[in-house]
Amino acid sequence: MASSKTVYVIDDERMDRKYAKRIIDKSQLFGGVELFEGPEAALAHIQDGGPKPDLIFLDINMPPITGFEFLEMYGREIQQLDPVPAVVIVSTTVNPADLERAENFPLIRDFLCKPLTLEHVADSAALLDGRAG
């Protein structure tokens, strides 16, 4: 049964966004899925009064602003949302430095390897149950 929760997928690859939407819709765990080619568009959507995200699936390797740069620049703004969304990195990277860097961001709740699966979506949705905000 779908909830009223909204998930954002921020990924520069169109096919990855479409695939993620299909998996999230199939899970029936979210009421809305918003797709964004880059973090700037997602932030503008929030600022323009769009549905606020409960969960953000964020790619890190995106030009011109990486997922990490997005969190460095706008992390405070995201943390002021109520409730504070959980950020889950979804990436193809296997670089240990990226994993270590992700641990330094309190907003990042998990780090997943692409492709997104139903199990990933369910595990990520479960992160929302005990969050502060």
Side-chain angles (χ1 to χ4, degrees), residues 9 17 19 31 46-47 56 62-63 70 81 84 96-97 127 131:
V9 176
R17 289 191 308 272
Y19 179 78
I46 293 168
Q47 292 169 336
I56 299 172
M62 298 180 288
F70 168 68
L81 296 175
V84 176
L127 294 171
R131 69 180 168 183

Side-chain angles (χ1 to χ4, degrees), residues 1-9 20-34 52-57 85-88 112 116-129 131:
M1 180 169 91
S3 76
S4 62
K5 292 185 178 6
T6 298
V7 61
Y8 281 17
V9 176
K21 180 174 180 1
R22 191 170 350 154
I23 292 297
I24 294 164
D25 286 345
K26 187 174 182 179
S27 77
Q28 299 183 339
L29 294 171
F30 294 91
V33 180
E34 302 280 342
K52 292 180 177 44
D54 294 281
L55 174 66
I56 299 172
F57 286 119
V87 175
V88 174
L112 306 172
L116 199 61
T117 66
L118 279 172
E119 184 178 353
H120 289 151
V121 174
D123 290 347
S124 298
L127 294 171
L128 305 180
D129 295 338
R131 69 180 168 183

